[in-house]
Amino acid sequence: MSEAEARGTHRLHEQLEAITALLARLVEDPTPAHHAELQQRLDELHPADIAFVLEALPLDERLAVWQRVKADRDGEILLEVSDAVRESLIADMDPREILAAVEPLDADELADLVEDLPTEVLPELMASLDAQQRERVQSALSWEDDQVGALMDFEMVTIREDVSLETVLRYLRRFDELPAQTDKLFVINQDNLLTGVLPLHWLLVNPPETMVSAVMAPDVNTFHPGDDVYEVAQAFERYDLVTAPVVDDAGRLIGRITVDAMVDVIREESESEALSRVGLREEEDIFASVWASLRNRWSWLAINLVTAFIASRVIGLFEGAIEKLVALATLMPIVAGIGGNSGNQTITMIVRALALNQITPDSAKRLWRKELAVSLFNGLVWGGVIGVVAWLLYENVALGVVMTAAMTLNLLLAAFCGVGIPMLMMKAGRDPALGSSVLITAMTDSGGFFIFLGLATLFLM
Amino acid sequence: MSEAEARGTHRLHEQLEAITALLARLVEDPTPAHHAELQQRLDELHPADIAFVLEALPLDERLAVWQRVKADRDGEILLEVSDAVRESLIADMDPREILAAVEPLDADELADLVEDLPTEVLPELMASLDAQQRERVQSALSWEDDQVGALMDFEMVTIREDVSLETVLRYLRRFDELPAQTDKLFVINQDNLLTGVLPLHWLLVNPPETMVSAVMAPDVNTFHPGDDVYEVAQAFERYDLVTAPVVDDAGRLIGRITVDAMVDVIREESESEALSRVGLREEEDIFASVWASLRNRWSWLAINLVTAFIASRVIGLFEGAIEKLVALATLMPIVAGIGGNSGNQTITMIVRALALNQITPDSAKRLWRKELAVSLFNGLVWGGVIGVVAWLLYENVALGVVMTAAMTLNLLLAAFCGVGIPMLMMKAGRDPALGSSVLITAMTDSGGFFIFLGLATLFLM
């Protein structure tokens, strides 16, 4: 984090520290004045900022703040916090509070929360909705989390194409407010088919007597509820969209998707990638209990234990050689470590290019050639340096040569696997990012030990 | 990548494959009809899509496409490609082409490109700008890349507060088009001080005779050119902004910042974090030359070589013990590996919490306690399992006990450093993400070898 960044996030962090201090003072001295001061500070915060504060507080202080949040903002705040923190907040609410909190929410927001709510409140919740709301919630729930159908909202302003802009302007004045983020109106015909869009800009710069049909645009960025949200987020990014219509297979307008939802998708995608690389199953509440943390992390540790054990057995094959020349044991982690580092560089780059769909069968061959060339060069240069050091340390020229050769071969293995593993994963229909780091490290560890100790057995024994 | 995602990015990938096929056919059979087909396909693509295709093509084919792109779209495409690919495209253009390409760009876009242009074209380029444009380019250049001043644009629609909405509507009709992403108008007084904002929505739903002053809002999300863009991007995310005004220290309106620029910031931030973790200096052109790749990667490899060498010397201290009990050499990578994996999980979580500014001095202590508890548990359970395996493999109970103890201690070290290293980096004003992975691995490797071999020397020799 740069100095400027530290200065930048200052304001929110100051709020957090002030609230922590107020909470501590309340414990010591619970006077009404102190209560009122905390209450006022919380009331002034934006729901997203309260969510930030809740995320950053340990469980007991988090609940102390949560109980002071005005009930009519509960729903909005629950939407903003991470899944792990949401769980801890909902566990603290009784069914009546939960129903009151979610009551003001829209169908798509409700669908977001439903899976985190205790099952006993669901019948009452669904009964409290009107038919249209209930249908929308059920529709949103019928799609996967990473499909457009789960993220679209239903707050659209629709118009007909055979009216004048003047009529549209008069129609809009009958609204109390327009749906958030509205940058275009959707033009539909009597069958609810989307025939085009009218950006607000065009409504504003064109003469009022112009007909909608004369200035509306056929919208090229129309999505379907089954579309993948990562793909849609990339389209928002590429074409600088603010909102886009969602249509069913027949072309009927059924919802819209907004840039704020896409910003969240982009953020979550990159975070979950960073976490999954090191084997954290999901966004972890930093103040989660020890048990919750263990559950979140154990599977990856177990996999790592297996790969480390395999690498250890590879060394076990060569115990005779190590007994004769103990320097082998000392030098072998260098061979494995450099291979792992270089392989991780290659695999990170390839995973990114695959995620962007930039690799064709033709270019894959070129990539392989290039990565192997880079590794050959690195192996000869850095392997040469380490070889000379090993020679001087142990006064053994042959050992130095074996070291250089092993490093070069292990770097070539790292390049080969660094390009190959994600491509194979992709072919097998798996996410090439998940586990990429542990797989490549397993290859370069076991491979590095085998190459180095094998060469040593052949040429030094 | 999920199946849905693979289906989603399909369309753009199909374009890429079709263009690759057309290029291959042109090499074999350069008839005018084939030329025309390629040309037509390129002309139909959005500049952002051409940028995607250019990124995904090897250098020679990339330049073949680049030469066919209509000159008036060159500038837009140069803005969309990554730095590395931009370099390769500009190297292929002569000064006249470069000047023609950048001529239609806005000041902030020009400032983005300037540092990548050959210095010999700069005098002519600056001379071709009018005084206002030149001043804006120079202003944008005077800020760091991660400051708002470098990313803001100057396309604002400003109004006065003492006019009616009717007047504003009439004023807007004099525009041919509004600046992209405009969702609010900026209200300024005669001194150019920002007094509020008028969202387009309010302009549309309120009666035309209403005065601007009656419906405008004081804008709470106003930024300064020196603000950090990551912080501003977080504000856009939290408060669902589309545009926001930028004011100088006196409160005068000097520019605006838009959500599409912030989406790019969020994307680039997460990508550069993923790359810097494994020591890639910057976004690498996947078809970069071998030399360019070596330059991009060597520094991290060198650091890794040094830390691997230190770990190797730690083992060197215990060569006597290994000679007596070769099983030590076989088992030691397990101790180091598990520590590295667990430490990387902890450090990833802490770096993220620090980046979000969620950690206070008070909560730091709790985090430490929690992470140490998780490690103690993992060490006793997993270390116990491996200890039993070691005992059975080598028929040596004491070796099994040493193994369990060493794994537990190394996991505790991993937890301690996983929380401590990023906090120290932060205190020292450094970016806690950069090098975090290599630092923690260096600690758990050297530490793990030292603990395991040290305990073995004390209790088994």
Side-chain angles (χ1 to χ4, degrees), chain A residues 82-107:
Chain A
S82 66
D83 289 353
V85 170
R86 185 184 295 161
E87 220 174 277
S88 71
L89 297 178
I90 288 177
D92 188 53
M93 300 168 83
D94 63 37
R96 198 182 34 80
E97 286 174 320
I98 294 175
L99 286 171
V102 302
E103 197 260 314
L105 299 180
D106 292 325

PDB file of all heavy atoms in Angstrom, chain A residues 82-107:
ATOM      1  N   SER A  82     -19.982  -9.231   3.867  1.00  0.00           N
ATOM      2  CA  SER A  82     -19.580 -10.499   3.264  1.00  0.00           C
ATOM      3  C   SER A  82     -20.428 -11.630   3.831  1.00  0.00           C
ATOM      4  O   SER A  82     -21.040 -11.497   4.890  1.00  0.00           O
ATOM      5  CB  SER A  82     -18.109 -10.762   3.553  1.00  0.00           C
ATOM      6  OG  SER A  82     -17.934 -10.957   4.938  1.00  0.00           O
ATOM      7  N   ASP A  83     -20.436 -12.771   3.131  1.00  0.00           N
ATOM      8  CA  ASP A  83     -21.250 -13.911   3.557  1.00  0.00           C
ATOM      9  C   ASP A  83     -20.948 -14.322   4.991  1.00  0.00           C
ATOM     10  O   ASP A  83     -21.864 -14.606   5.769  1.00  0.00           O
ATOM     11  CB  ASP A  83     -20.988 -15.120   2.641  1.00  0.00           C
ATOM     12  CG  ASP A  83     -21.592 -14.904   1.261  1.00  0.00           C
ATOM     13  OD1 ASP A  83     -22.310 -13.898   1.093  1.00  0.00           O
ATOM     14  OD2 ASP A  83     -21.332 -15.725   0.380  1.00  0.00           O
ATOM     15  N   ALA A  84     -19.643 -14.356   5.330  1.00  0.00           N
ATOM     16  CA  ALA A  84     -19.257 -14.855   6.653  1.00  0.00           C
ATOM     17  C   ALA A  84     -19.800 -13.946   7.752  1.00  0.00           C
ATOM     18  O   ALA A  84     -20.321 -14.414   8.770  1.00  0.00           O
ATOM     19  CB  ALA A  84     -17.742 -14.965   6.734  1.00  0.00           C
ATOM     20  N   VAL A  85     -19.685 -12.630   7.551  1.00  0.00           N
ATOM     21  CA  VAL A  85     -20.159 -11.687   8.567  1.00  0.00           C
ATOM     22  C   VAL A  85     -21.687 -11.678   8.613  1.00  0.00           C
ATOM     23  O   VAL A  85     -22.293 -11.579   9.678  1.00  0.00           O
ATOM     24  CB  VAL A  85     -19.595 -10.272   8.293  1.00  0.00           C
ATOM     25  CG1 VAL A  85     -20.249  -9.237   9.180  1.00  0.00           C
ATOM     26  CG2 VAL A  85     -18.089 -10.275   8.478  1.00  0.00           C
ATOM     27  N   ARG A  86     -22.313 -11.829   7.446  1.00  0.00           N
ATOM     28  CA  ARG A  86     -23.775 -11.860   7.385  1.00  0.00           C
ATOM     29  C   ARG A  86     -24.311 -12.980   8.270  1.00  0.00           C
ATOM     30  O   ARG A  86     -25.271 -12.792   9.019  1.00  0.00           O
ATOM     31  CB  ARG A  86     -24.215 -12.077   5.940  1.00  0.00           C
ATOM     32  CG  ARG A  86     -25.718 -12.000   5.740  1.00  0.00           C
ATOM     33  CD  ARG A  86     -26.087 -12.331   4.310  1.00  0.00           C
ATOM     34  NE  ARG A  86     -25.550 -11.339   3.381  1.00  0.00           N
ATOM     35  CZ  ARG A  86     -25.405 -11.560   2.069  1.00  0.00           C
ATOM     36  NH1 ARG A  86     -25.732 -12.726   1.558  1.00  0.00           N
ATOM     37  NH2 ARG A  86     -24.919 -10.618   1.282  1.00  0.00           N
ATOM     38  N   GLU A  87     -23.670 -14.135   8.161  1.00  0.00           N
ATOM     39  CA  GLU A  87     -24.050 -15.284   8.984  1.00  0.00           C
ATOM     40  C   GLU A  87     -24.032 -14.918  10.465  1.00  0.00           C
ATOM     41  O   GLU A  87     -24.966 -15.230  11.208  1.00  0.00           O
ATOM     42  CB  GLU A  87     -23.047 -16.399   8.725  1.00  0.00           C
ATOM     43  CG  GLU A  87     -23.603 -17.782   8.641  1.00  0.00           C
ATOM     44  CD  GLU A  87     -22.493 -18.745   8.230  1.00  0.00           C
ATOM     45  OE1 GLU A  87     -22.214 -18.851   7.016  1.00  0.00           O
ATOM     46  OE2 GLU A  87     -21.886 -19.348   9.124  1.00  0.00           O
ATOM     47  N   SER A  88     -22.966 -14.226  10.900  1.00  0.00           N
ATOM     48  CA  SER A  88     -22.844 -13.900  12.323  1.00  0.00           C
ATOM     49  C   SER A  88     -23.910 -12.893  12.748  1.00  0.00           C
ATOM     50  O   SER A  88     -24.364 -12.903  13.891  1.00  0.00           O
ATOM     51  CB  SER A  88     -21.438 -13.373  12.644  1.00  0.00           C
ATOM     52  OG  SER A  88     -21.248 -12.087  12.097  1.00  0.00           O
ATOM     53  N   LEU A  89     -24.327 -12.015  11.841  1.00  0.00           N
ATOM     54  CA  LEU A  89     -25.350 -11.020  12.184  1.00  0.00           C
ATOM     55  C   LEU A  89     -26.730 -11.670  12.250  1.00  0.00           C
ATOM     56  O   LEU A  89     -27.509 -11.412  13.179  1.00  0.00           O
ATOM     57  CB  LEU A  89     -25.361  -9.882  11.155  1.00  0.00           C
ATOM     58  CG  LEU A  89     -24.078  -9.045  11.054  1.00  0.00           C
ATOM     59  CD1 LEU A  89     -24.222  -7.995   9.968  1.00  0.00           C
ATOM     60  CD2 LEU A  89     -23.736  -8.393  12.384  1.00  0.00           C
ATOM     61  N   ILE A  90     -27.041 -12.515  11.270  1.00  0.00           N
ATOM     62  CA  ILE A  90     -28.364 -13.137  11.227  1.00  0.00           C
ATOM     63  C   ILE A  90     -28.552 -14.060  12.425  1.00  0.00           C
ATOM     64  O   ILE A  90     -29.652 -14.159  12.987  1.00  0.00           O
ATOM     65  CB  ILE A  90     -28.569 -13.874   9.885  1.00  0.00           C
ATOM     66  CG1 ILE A  90     -28.738 -12.838   8.767  1.00  0.00           C
ATOM     67  CG2 ILE A  90     -29.779 -14.802   9.941  1.00  0.00           C
ATOM     68  CD1 ILE A  90     -28.885 -13.409   7.389  1.00  0.00           C
ATOM     69  N   ALA A  91     -27.471 -14.699  12.854  1.00  0.00           N
ATOM     70  CA  ALA A  91     -27.553 -15.596  14.017  1.00  0.00           C
ATOM     71  C   ALA A  91     -27.999 -14.831  15.262  1.00  0.00           C
ATOM     72  O   ALA A  91     -28.526 -15.408  16.210  1.00  0.00           O
ATOM     73  CB  ALA A  91     -26.206 -16.262  14.255  1.00  0.00           C
ATOM     74  N   ASP A  92     -27.787 -13.519  15.247  1.00  0.00           N
ATOM     75  CA  ASP A  92     -28.116 -12.693  16.407  1.00  0.00           C
ATOM     76  C   ASP A  92     -29.540 -12.119  16.354  1.00  0.00           C
ATOM     77  O   ASP A  92     -29.968 -11.417  17.258  1.00  0.00           O
ATOM     78  CB  ASP A  92     -27.093 -11.544  16.481  1.00  0.00           C
ATOM     79  CG  ASP A  92     -27.227 -10.748  17.759  1.00  0.00           C
ATOM     80  OD1 ASP A  92     -27.205 -11.375  18.834  1.00  0.00           O
ATOM     81  OD2 ASP A  92     -27.371  -9.513  17.681  1.00  0.00           O
ATOM     82  N   MET A  93     -30.278 -12.381  15.255  1.00  0.00           N
ATOM     83  CA  MET A  93     -31.607 -11.768  15.090  1.00  0.00           C
ATOM     84  C   MET A  93     -32.703 -12.805  15.320  1.00  0.00           C
ATOM     85  O   MET A  93     -32.541 -13.977  14.977  1.00  0.00           O
ATOM     86  CB  MET A  93     -31.751 -11.217  13.658  1.00  0.00           C
ATOM     87  CG  MET A  93     -30.729 -10.154  13.314  1.00  0.00           C
ATOM     88  SD  MET A  93     -30.691  -9.771  11.531  1.00  0.00           S
ATOM     89  CE  MET A  93     -32.053  -8.613  11.398  1.00  0.00           C
ATOM     90  N   ASP A  94     -33.839 -12.352  15.854  1.00  0.00           N
ATOM     91  CA  ASP A  94     -34.961 -13.290  15.959  1.00  0.00           C
ATOM     92  C   ASP A  94     -35.813 -13.182  14.687  1.00  0.00           C
ATOM     93  O   ASP A  94     -35.684 -12.231  13.917  1.00  0.00           O
ATOM     94  CB  ASP A  94     -35.759 -13.074  17.254  1.00  0.00           C
ATOM     95  CG  ASP A  94     -36.413 -11.712  17.314  1.00  0.00           C
ATOM     96  OD1 ASP A  94     -36.875 -11.218  16.256  1.00  0.00           O
ATOM     97  OD2 ASP A  94     -36.445 -11.105  18.395  1.00  0.00           O
ATOM     98  N   PRO A  95     -36.698 -14.174  14.433  1.00  0.00           N
ATOM     99  CA  PRO A  95     -37.462 -14.208  13.176  1.00  0.00           C
ATOM    100  C   PRO A  95     -38.191 -12.896  12.870  1.00  0.00           C
ATOM    101  O   PRO A  95     -38.229 -12.438  11.734  1.00  0.00           O
ATOM    102  CB  PRO A  95     -38.455 -15.357  13.409  1.00  0.00           C
ATOM    103  CG  PRO A  95     -37.755 -16.269  14.357  1.00  0.00           C
ATOM    104  CD  PRO A  95     -36.943 -15.378  15.253  1.00  0.00           C
ATOM    105  N   ARG A  96     -38.748 -12.266  13.913  1.00  0.00           N
ATOM    106  CA  ARG A  96     -39.494 -11.027  13.700  1.00  0.00           C
ATOM    107  C   ARG A  96     -38.568  -9.929  13.161  1.00  0.00           C
ATOM    108  O   ARG A  96     -38.904  -9.207  12.226  1.00  0.00           O
ATOM    109  CB  ARG A  96     -40.120 -10.602  15.039  1.00  0.00           C
ATOM    110  CG  ARG A  96     -41.258  -9.614  14.970  1.00  0.00           C
ATOM    111  CD  ARG A  96     -41.716  -9.262  16.393  1.00  0.00           C
ATOM    112  NE  ARG A  96     -40.583  -9.246  17.326  1.00  0.00           N
ATOM    113  CZ  ARG A  96     -39.723  -8.230  17.460  1.00  0.00           C
ATOM    114  NH1 ARG A  96     -39.871  -7.148  16.743  1.00  0.00           N
ATOM    115  NH2 ARG A  96     -38.715  -8.299  18.328  1.00  0.00           N
ATOM    116  N   GLU A  97     -37.376  -9.822  13.754  1.00  0.00           N
ATOM    117  CA  GLU A  97     -36.407  -8.823  13.282  1.00  0.00           C
ATOM    118  C   GLU A  97     -35.976  -9.098  11.841  1.00  0.00           C
ATOM    119  O   GLU A  97     -35.811  -8.184  11.031  1.00  0.00           O
ATOM    120  CB  GLU A  97     -35.166  -8.828  14.193  1.00  0.00           C
ATOM    121  CG  GLU A  97     -35.396  -8.189  15.552  1.00  0.00           C
ATOM    122  CD  GLU A  97     -34.180  -8.356  16.457  1.00  0.00           C
ATOM    123  OE1 GLU A  97     -33.570  -9.448  16.439  1.00  0.00           O
ATOM    124  OE2 GLU A  97     -33.844  -7.407  17.169  1.00  0.00           O
ATOM    125  N   ILE A  98     -35.765 -10.375  11.538  1.00  0.00           N
ATOM    126  CA  ILE A  98     -35.337 -10.732  10.192  1.00  0.00           C
ATOM    127  C   ILE A  98     -36.400 -10.331   9.171  1.00  0.00           C
ATOM    128  O   ILE A  98     -36.100  -9.708   8.151  1.00  0.00           O
ATOM    129  CB  ILE A  98     -35.051 -12.249  10.095  1.00  0.00           C
ATOM    130  CG1 ILE A  98     -33.838 -12.597  10.964  1.00  0.00           C
ATOM    131  CG2 ILE A  98     -34.822 -12.669   8.651  1.00  0.00           C
ATOM    132  CD1 ILE A  98     -33.533 -14.076  11.044  1.00  0.00           C
ATOM    133  N   LEU A  99     -37.662 -10.655   9.463  1.00  0.00           N
ATOM    134  CA  LEU A  99     -38.735 -10.314   8.524  1.00  0.00           C
ATOM    135  C   LEU A  99     -38.821  -8.814   8.325  1.00  0.00           C
ATOM    136  O   LEU A  99     -39.000  -8.328   7.205  1.00  0.00           O
ATOM    137  CB  LEU A  99     -40.067 -10.881   9.031  1.00  0.00           C
ATOM    138  CG  LEU A  99     -40.206 -12.404   8.876  1.00  0.00           C
ATOM    139  CD1 LEU A  99     -41.443 -12.904   9.595  1.00  0.00           C
ATOM    140  CD2 LEU A  99     -40.267 -12.769   7.392  1.00  0.00           C
ATOM    141  N   ALA A 100     -38.682  -8.056   9.431  1.00  0.00           N
ATOM    142  CA  ALA A 100     -38.744  -6.595   9.321  1.00  0.00           C
ATOM    143  C   ALA A 100     -37.580  -6.067   8.491  1.00  0.00           C
ATOM    144  O   ALA A 100     -37.726  -5.126   7.712  1.00  0.00           O
ATOM    145  CB  ALA A 100     -38.740  -5.967  10.715  1.00  0.00           C
ATOM    146  N   ALA A 101     -36.416  -6.685   8.644  1.00  0.00           N
ATOM    147  CA  ALA A 101     -35.221  -6.197   7.947  1.00  0.00           C
ATOM    148  C   ALA A 101     -35.324  -6.399   6.440  1.00  0.00           C
ATOM    149  O   ALA A 101     -34.944  -5.531   5.653  1.00  0.00           O
ATOM    150  CB  ALA A 101     -33.976  -6.914   8.476  1.00  0.00           C
ATOM    151  N   VAL A 102     -35.861  -7.555   6.019  1.00  0.00           N
ATOM    152  CA  VAL A 102     -35.850  -7.847   4.590  1.00  0.00           C
ATOM    153  C   VAL A 102     -37.085  -7.302   3.881  1.00  0.00           C
ATOM    154  O   VAL A 102     -37.132  -7.286   2.646  1.00  0.00           O
ATOM    155  CB  VAL A 102     -35.717  -9.369   4.320  1.00  0.00           C
ATOM    156  CG1 VAL A 102     -34.437  -9.896   4.960  1.00  0.00           C
ATOM    157  CG2 VAL A 102     -36.920 -10.128   4.826  1.00  0.00           C
ATOM    158  N   GLU A 103     -38.060  -6.847   4.648  1.00  0.00           N
ATOM    159  CA  GLU A 103     -39.313  -6.387   4.053  1.00  0.00           C
ATOM    160  C   GLU A 103     -39.112  -5.279   3.001  1.00  0.00           C
ATOM    161  O   GLU A 103     -39.741  -5.329   1.949  1.00  0.00           O
ATOM    162  CB  GLU A 103     -40.258  -5.939   5.183  1.00  0.00           C
ATOM    163  CG  GLU A 103     -41.704  -5.827   4.802  1.00  0.00           C
ATOM    164  CD  GLU A 103     -42.067  -4.397   4.526  1.00  0.00           C
ATOM    165  OE1 GLU A 103     -41.691  -3.536   5.340  1.00  0.00           O
ATOM    166  OE2 GLU A 103     -42.710  -4.135   3.494  1.00  0.00           O
ATOM    167  N   PRO A 104     -38.244  -4.258   3.232  1.00  0.00           N
ATOM    168  CA  PRO A 104     -38.144  -3.196   2.218  1.00  0.00           C
ATOM    169  C   PRO A 104     -37.315  -3.564   0.986  1.00  0.00           C
ATOM    170  O   PRO A 104     -37.156  -2.752   0.097  1.00  0.00           O
ATOM    171  CB  PRO A 104     -37.445  -2.044   2.979  1.00  0.00           C
ATOM    172  CG  PRO A 104     -37.054  -2.568   4.316  1.00  0.00           C
ATOM    173  CD  PRO A 104     -37.397  -4.004   4.399  1.00  0.00           C
ATOM    174  N   LEU A 105     -36.778  -4.772   0.914  1.00  0.00           N
ATOM    175  CA  LEU A 105     -35.847  -5.097  -0.168  1.00  0.00           C
ATOM    176  C   LEU A 105     -36.565  -5.458  -1.470  1.00  0.00           C
ATOM    177  O   LEU A 105     -37.704  -5.901  -1.467  1.00  0.00           O
ATOM    178  CB  LEU A 105     -34.936  -6.254   0.253  1.00  0.00           C
ATOM    179  CG  LEU A 105     -34.048  -5.998   1.477  1.00  0.00           C
ATOM    180  CD1 LEU A 105     -33.198  -7.227   1.762  1.00  0.00           C
ATOM    181  CD2 LEU A 105     -33.176  -4.778   1.269  1.00  0.00           C
ATOM    182  N   ASP A 106     -35.819  -5.297  -2.599  1.00  0.00           N
ATOM    183  CA  ASP A 106     -36.342  -5.710  -3.903  1.00  0.00           C
ATOM    184  C   ASP A 106     -36.176  -7.214  -4.077  1.00  0.00           C
ATOM    185  O   ASP A 106     -35.415  -7.853  -3.350  1.00  0.00           O
ATOM    186  CB  ASP A 106     -35.566  -5.005  -5.016  1.00  0.00           C
ATOM    187  CG  ASP A 106     -35.842  -3.523  -5.022  1.00  0.00           C
ATOM    188  OD1 ASP A 106     -36.983  -3.153  -4.711  1.00  0.00           O
ATOM    189  OD2 ASP A 106     -34.915  -2.753  -5.336  1.00  0.00           O
ATOM    190  N   ALA A 107     -36.841  -7.732  -5.101  1.00  0.00           N
ATOM    191  CA  ALA A 107     -36.840  -9.175  -5.324  1.00  0.00           C
ATOM    192  C   ALA A 107     -35.420  -9.726  -5.507  1.00  0.00           C
ATOM    193  O   ALA A 107     -35.067 -10.748  -4.927  1.00  0.00           O
ATOM    194  CB  ALA A 107     -37.695  -9.519  -6.541  1.00  0.00           C
TER     195      ALA A 107
END
